[in-house]
Amino acid sequence: MRKLQTLAMIVSSAVLLAACSSPVKLNDNVKVEDRAPATTTTPDTRTVSTVDTGSTDPLNDPQGVLAKRSVYFDYDSYIVKDEFKGVVEAHAKYLVAHKDRKVVVQGNTDERGGREYNLALGQKRAEAVRKSMALLGVSEAQIEAVSFGKEKPKALGSDEAAFAENRRSDIAYQ
């Protein structure tokens, strides 16, 4: 009888672990590019930054470039799209100039998929933004990456517009 109970306990533990497994692996290498901040050449051949974020406080910049704090992703993806690299670069430039400031990158997903899968995908999205900022010179001590999965939607609804709005990482200043 004792062996039967032990066997039942082992089998139920194995079934529980299998049910909790996720196809999203947390330790995959995130694809990010090692790029310098965006620059442009003026007519007199001086190179200048296209975004001046060095002195602007993102918490007091309601109309400026630092007001944009969301990086959106394609379905089931955690690769930072080219159209949002400027947002990441602007915040990275600010953080490099202000070593005392810290951010939490909050990864989010749409409502499709299981809880564990979405938490893992949200973490990968947050990590992608964090690693992009680190490649741009931001200290690892200034950035924390967390996942909310599908628990913190920006848009309510079950259509593609709402899904697209919820597949994001938000840069939250502390």
Side-chain angles (χ1 to χ4, degrees):
M1 183 68 172
R2 186 95 165 134
K3 287 183 182 182
L4 186 58
Q5 287 177 335
T6 303
L7 181 61
M9 183 65 85
I10 292 171
V11 169
S12 64
S13 296
V15 169
L16 180 63
L17 287 173
C20 291
S21 69
S22 171
V24 176
K25 296 176 185 144
L26 290 177
N27 61 353
D28 282 350
N29 290 330
V30 176
K31 262 181 127 173
V32 293
E33 293 180 23
D34 187 2
R35 293 187 346 165
T39 59
T40 187
T41 305
T42 61
D44 62 354
T45 67
R46 287 182 299 142
T47 301
V48 295
S49 174
T50 58
V51 179
D52 180 22
T53 59
S55 61
T56 306
D57 186 338
L59 298 178
N60 298 321
D61 187 29
Q63 303 301 321
V65 69
L66 294 175
K68 295 177 183 172
R69 296 196 195 136
S70 293
V71 175
Y72 294 92
F73 296 86
D74 290 330
Y75 174 72
D76 202 29
S77 172
Y78 55 91
I79 296 172
V80 176
K81 298 192 285 188
D82 287 340
E83 64 193 274
F84 296 104
K85 288 182 179 177
V87 172
V88 174
E89 290 170 356
H91 287 280
K93 182 177 179 182
Y94 176 82
L95 289 167
V96 165
H98 297 87
K99 301 283 186 195
D100 59 323
R101 297 302 301 268
K102 294 183 180 188
V103 294
V104 176
V105 181
Q106 305 167 340
N108 298 274
T109 66
D110 60 38
E111 66 185 37
R112 297 173 288 185
R115 182 178 186 278
E116 183 178 324
Y117 176 83
N118 283 327
L119 283 172
L121 182 57
Q123 187 67 36
K124 286 183 154 209
R125 288 175 175 168
E127 288 292 330
V129 173
R130 185 192 64 76
K131 287 181 181 180
S132 294
M133 289 178 145
L135 286 172
L136 292 167
V138 179
S139 165
E140 297 277 341
Q142 290 179 270
I143 319 165
E144 180 183 355
V146 298
S147 176
F148 289 123
K150 59 184 175 182
E151 304 302 320
K152 192 178 172 186
K154 193 176 217 179
L156 299 177
S158 295
D159 59 354
E160 184 51 40
F163 293 155
E165 191 73 16
N166 292 329
R167 294 189 304 258
R168 70 191 192 285
S169 284
D170 293 324
I171 300 168
Y173 281 81
Q174 305 231 312

